[in-house]
Amino acid sequence: MTEPKLRFKEENGVQFPDWEEKTFNDIADYKKGPFGSALKKKIFVPKSNSTVKVYEQQNAISKDWRLERYFVTDEYFQANLKSFSVSGGDIIVSCAGTIGEVYELPNDAEEGIINQALMRVRIKKSVINSMVFKCVFDKMISSEGIKISNGSALKNIPPFADMKKQPVFLPSLPEQQKISSLFTELDTLIQSAEKELEGYRELKQGMLQKMFPKKGELVPEIRFSEFSGKWKKYELGDVLNDMYNGQTPSRSKPNYWNGNVKWLSSGELNRQTVYDSIESITEEGRKSANLRIIPKGTFVMAITGLEAAGTRGNCALLGFNTTLNQSCMALFPNENLLTTKFLFQWYKNVGEEYGITYTQGTKQQSYNAQLLEILPISLPTIKEQNKITCLLEEIDNLIVSQQQELDGYKELKKGLLQQMFC
């Protein structure tokens, strides 16, 4: 095998023994869930003191053993499903849809059975510990991944006969313990950062629900003490000076593309401030499509967007001068009535719920100028708008900072895994 780039040493500085080659059959026992016919909905019963819980994919995906929907009688379990039982210390793996999510049931987890979309793993503790198993197993199923059209890969669990024969290189148990301790500490940091991030998001959601009037009302539930009275009701067109819809230069003209003029698409709107575009056009291309240069600081929204692509409801403030494609619209408010930053906060947090129409079933959102003009919007004074905007921006900055910290921990873990496991 290739020697890992990062290795631990013993306390006295001596290198641990060389890693040994095993197979996945050597390090654990595996059990796929029962055939669907053994777990038809007609056999499920309400939870009681004499029922057994059915573990599902969501338990593995959400890393939460407490999630529950289905139960079978203890009698049915004893007669038909006992070999599919799971309890604390077992590892469950999702095998359908979102494949390869691995979750070790905590020691206090309720005993139950796996359904047909799960695999149970019981590691051989004399050979491997659970943390190292999860590392090498994830690496194995990632390497077996199926390439999809966008160039990324889906995890794939090979057939049992093939999987069990797969080679795996393992350090000695003492070195495994050091590796396990490191990744346990990293996971604790990741979980803590995720919890803090969720707290900031919940804080913002709570503030939004209370700082903007509810639909049909003109007074928010909470506001700064120096402000009182009702907000004024408008249609969005009443408080805009202009709206501008972009275009796309001809793709058949090479001299229109890869120039010095930025060109932004709706998929790049990130609900924050966007600072660059993927594509650019030439000045000749800009003139051919009669495109305006939209200045830094402008609010831009997606007027079409696919739910599956994640572009539905996209918006951003521009951090640079750019042109726009036809799926983007720039809005220029009357700054005496509506600030750009308040419009941005209002739309991405409140305004999207109004007036959405669908041009292709429920799959594609589509706005046009006429629809935007009649969107209802309630506004306080400019002074109150600025106070609200500043508060929400502070929370946004906390969320961005915490997300960066979380991403940093995850990248560190990913890098260590690549260095420690060949």
Side-chain angles (χ1 to χ4, degrees):
M1 68 167 284
T2 304
E3 186 75 11
K5 294 180 180 178
L6 283 179
R7 289 197 62 187
F8 284 97
K9 293 184 178 180
E10 299 184 50
E11 299 299 331
N12 60 8
V14 175
Q15 183 70 62
F16 281 111
D18 291 342
W19 290 30
E20 295 183 359
E21 183 176 354
K22 306 283 186 181
T23 66
F24 275 90
N25 192 49
D26 295 329
I27 64 176
D29 294 317
Y30 310 89
K31 182 75 172 180
K32 278 278 189 75
F35 290 112
S37 59
L39 277 178
K40 288 184 177 179
K41 286 190 176 182
K42 66 181 181 181
I43 70 166
F44 296 144
V45 297
K47 183 178 182 179
S48 73
N49 291 331
S50 59
T51 56
V52 178
K53 173 180 178 173
V54 178
Y55 279 91
E56 301 181 81
Q57 272 216 135
Q58 198 56 43
N59 295 106
I61 294 168
S62 301
K63 310 292 188 285
D64 188 352
W65 68 269
R66 296 177 183 84
L67 300 176
E68 56 186 37
R69 289 195 302 171
Y70 302 121
F71 302 86
V72 298
T73 64
D74 184 66
E75 180 181 6
Y76 188 82
F77 164 71
Q78 295 291 345
N80 301 284
L81 300 170
K82 199 167 183 180
S83 64
F84 302 100
S85 66
V86 287
S87 57
D90 287 338
I91 294 172
I92 57 175
V93 183
S94 60
C95 298
T98 305
I99 293 173
E101 289 296 323
V102 179
Y103 175 48
E104 182 178 1
L105 297 176
N107 291 331
D108 61 348
E110 181 181 351
E111 185 176 4
I113 57 170
I114 53 173
N115 75 356
Q116 60 270 26
L118 288 175
M119 176 172 68
R120 182 193 69 205
V121 179
R122 287 178 174 162
I123 63 170
K124 297 176 181 179
K125 296 182 179 179
S126 62
V127 181
I128 193 169
N129 70 37
S130 60
M131 177 61 76
V132 171
F133 175 83
K134 285 182 278 188
C135 291
V136 296
F137 184 82
D138 184 73
K139 185 175 180 63
M140 181 270 293
I141 61 174
S142 295
S143 67
E144 292 288 317
I146 301 169
K147 293 290 183 182
I148 55 179
S149 58
N150 63 7
S152 59
L154 298 174
K155 290 181 179 180
N156 183 48
I157 299 174
F160 265 19
D162 295 334
M163 185 187 77
K164 290 180 178 181
K165 292 186 293 186
Q166 291 262 16
V168 57
F169 290 90
L170 296 179
S172 64
L173 282 172
E175 188 173 1
Q176 285 187 44
Q177 186 54 52
K178 285 185 174 289
I179 294 171
S180 179
S181 296
L182 172 64
F183 284 110
T184 298
E185 289 181 21
L186 260 178
D187 283 343
T188 299
L189 289 171
I190 289 171
Q191 290 165 10
S192 177
E194 286 174 336
K195 186 175 181 181
E196 195 164 349
L197 178 61
E198 184 59 29
Y200 288 140
R201 285 173 173 164
E202 289 177 357
L203 169 64
K204 182 173 183 183
Q205 191 58 38
M207 297 299 290
L208 289 169
Q209 291 173 352
K210 298 178 186 298
M211 294 193 75
F212 288 86
K214 292 181 173 62
K215 199 169 183 177
E217 299 180 5
L218 293 174
V219 178
E221 187 175 338
I222 61 171
R223 66 201 304 191
F224 294 100
S225 59
E226 65 264 41
F227 303 109
S228 60
K230 294 181 178 180
W231 291 20
K232 289 187 178 181
K233 187 176 181 180
Y234 298 93
E235 290 183 346
L236 187 58
D238 297 333
V239 292
L240 295 178
N241 285 335
D242 192 14
M243 288 183 282
Y244 173 75
N245 192 185
Q247 294 295 330
T248 298
S250 173
R251 290 282 186 182
S252 64
K253 302 281 188 179
N255 56 316
Y256 287 176
W257 294 91
N258 301 315
N260 296 319
V261 181
K262 297 294 184 179
W263 185 77
L264 191 69
S265 67
S266 62
E268 298 172 82
L269 305 181
N270 58 8
R271 303 179 75 85
Q272 299 174 39
T273 300
V274 62
Y275 292 99
D276 201 358
S277 63
I278 295 172
E279 294 189 271
S280 61
I281 58 177
T282 62
E283 181 62 20
E284 187 178 1
R286 184 189 73 79
K287 290 179 179 178
S288 74
N290 196 28
L291 285 169
R292 285 164 51 180
I293 301 291
I294 307 302
K296 176 181 177 179
T298 303
F299 169 75
V300 176
M301 61 177 290
I303 57 172
T304 62
L306 295 174
E307 288 180 312
T311 55
R312 175 180 165 183
N314 275 6
C315 61
L317 290 178
L318 294 181
F320 66 112
N321 298 335
T322 186
T323 57
L324 305 174
N325 81 352
Q326 70 276 6
S327 63
C328 294
M329 183 170 284
L331 303 187
F332 302 89
N334 178 343
E335 295 280 348
N336 293 318
L337 298 172
L338 170 63
T339 69
T340 297
K341 288 186 175 181
F342 188 84
L343 172 62
F344 173 55
Q345 291 290 349
W346 173 83
Y347 178 75
K348 76 172 181 173
N349 297 303
V350 180
E352 189 197 351
E353 70 181 84
Y354 295 102
I356 292 174
T357 61
Y358 298 95
T359 57
Q360 295 179 12
T362 59
K363 293 184 179 180
Q364 181 164 329
Q365 168 191 294
S366 180
Y367 277 119
N368 57 36
Q370 289 73 31
L371 286 170
L372 284 171
E373 285 179 343
I374 62 174
L375 284 184
I377 183 171
S378 300
L379 298 177
T381 63
I382 293 296
K383 188 175 180 180
E384 188 171 359
Q385 287 182 40
N386 288 334
K387 292 274 282 190
I388 293 170
T389 297
C390 284
L391 177 61
L392 294 178
E393 284 180 343
E394 286 181 15
I395 301 175
D396 281 341
N397 290 337
L398 287 171
I399 290 172
V400 170
S401 177
Q402 191 61 36
Q403 183 67 62
Q404 290 172 342
E405 181 180 335
L406 175 59
D407 292 343
Y409 289 140
K410 289 182 175 180
E411 282 300 309
L412 174 59
K413 181 178 179 180
K414 180 180 177 180
L416 288 172
L417 285 168
Q418 290 172 343
Q419 300 289 321
M420 289 184 168
F421 294 95
C422 298

